[in-house]
Amino acid sequence: MTTKVVPGQLVAVPDVASIATEASSRVARALREAISRRRTASLALSGGSTPRPAYEQLAREKGIDWNAVEVFWIDERAVPPDDDRSNYKLAKLSLLDRVGVAPAKVHRMPGEAKDLPAAAADYEKLLRRLLPSGGFDVAVMGVGDDGHTASLFPGDPGVHESARWVISVPAAPAKKCEARLTVTPPVIEGCGAVFVLAAGGAKHEPLQRAWSTSGTLDETPSRVLRGVRGSLTWIIDKAAGGMG
Ligand code: 6PG
């Protein structure tokens, strides 16, 4: 019987709508704090289905100087920016178009690039120029049903990457997973405030694996979140918490 120790803070709420409310108010507070400290804030966004309502609610939060926010991505699929699978398109429609972030402050991961390793290296150069602390001030992340986070998938070498900040991930046709670009553990660990959103019963088991005092990164890449040096907050609904 392994012990579960939640690294960071656990916020359990009734449902997905409550995840959006909790996440948007906490992300907004973290952005305001970063801006008050450094007159700017870096915000990194993930894709998937869970964050959309949180991004829509974040767009309605008051008191955020969006002119001071630089927007980045945690990961991106190897698709054009207007593709429905694009994490950029998700953020553009649910948040960026609603708050009017200046295009120069929207740092899209070029998932459509023909040479993904080169695109990863270019994005890394951008991060090294713009992220003095090596991580984002604020990051919104998720946990896949298979235990992945970002685009660090079980059995992939990326979860052990300690030098590069951005890597490309080859397509996995058997898993119907397109190629990706993703930040790596050094960037995730260097973030100031990470908010992990998880909804639904399918997240219960991967969360238990992420929180277990034993387990491997290869089996459960979201265990990389245990190394976040800033604040780490898990915002989950009852189903993800195994409460029916
Ligand atoms: C992606 C995301 C990914 C996501 C998890 C959870 O590109 O798919 O960045 O890492 O956070 O897959 O996704 P859900 O929110 O859909 O459960």
Side-chain angles (χ1 to χ4, degrees):
M1 153 70 168
T2 58
T3 312
K4 307 286 181 296
V5 177
V6 178
Q9 182 185 0
L10 174 61
V11 178
V13 295
D15 49 31
V16 177
S18 311
I19 288 177
T21 301
E22 276 297 331
S24 59
S25 65
R26 291 166 184 264
V27 167
R29 188 184 317 135
L31 287 173
R32 286 192 291 265
E33 285 168 2
I35 292 168
S36 66
R37 274 198 313 276
R38 299 195 303 115
R39 300 171 59 79
T40 181
S42 50
L43 169 65
L45 303 172
S46 287
S49 56
T50 309
R52 181 192 301 274
Y55 295 162
E56 289 168 347
Q57 194 137 337
L58 180 60
R60 297 194 290 270
E61 289 286 344
K62 302 286 182 241
I64 301 172
D65 176 6
W66 286 101
N67 293 318
V69 179
E70 302 273 353
V71 182
F72 301 86
W73 274 262
I74 290 289
D75 63 346
E76 183 56 279
R77 292 91 180 275
V79 296
D82 59 354
D83 188 297
D84 286 346
R85 292 168 294 169
S86 164
N87 293 347
Y88 163 78
K89 181 176 180 179
L90 164 66
K92 180 179 190 301
L93 296 180
S94 59
L95 174 61
L96 304 182
D97 286 353
R98 302 178 187 207
V99 296
V101 178
K105 291 180 180 280
V106 176
H107 307 289
R108 186 174 69 80
M109 276 185 170
E112 74 281 11
K114 291 292 164 275
D115 183 343
L116 281 179
D122 289 346
Y123 203 79
E124 173 163 340
K125 286 193 191 90
L126 175 78
L127 295 189
R128 288 185 184 274
R129 181 162 53 84
L130 295 181
L131 301 182
S133 65
F136 303 109
D137 292 310
V138 185
V140 177
M141 301 189 70
V143 175
D145 297 359
D146 61 357
H148 80 261
T149 193
S151 285
L152 303 171
F153 294 99
D156 282 4
V159 76
H160 298 292
E161 179 60 50
S162 57
R164 290 175 294 171
W165 285 14
V166 185
I167 58 173
S168 59
V169 179
K175 290 187 273 185
K176 297 193 177 59
C177 187
E178 61 281 292
R180 304 282 187 101
L181 289 170
T182 185
V183 297
T184 60
V187 174
I188 295 168
E189 292 160 355
C191 286
V194 175
F195 299 93
V196 187
L197 280 51
K203 305 300 183 189
H204 177 60
E205 194 268 339
L207 285 173
Q208 296 299 303
R209 284 194 277 133
W211 297 340
S212 172
T213 51
S214 63
T216 68
L217 282 172
D218 290 294
E219 285 167 354
T220 311
S222 52
R223 291 179 66 84
V224 72
L225 293 160
R226 304 169 71 85
V228 170
R229 292 190 294 276
S231 68
L232 174 62
T233 308
W234 307 76
I235 306 174
I236 71 170
D237 68 0
K238 279 197 301 191
M243 294 168 274

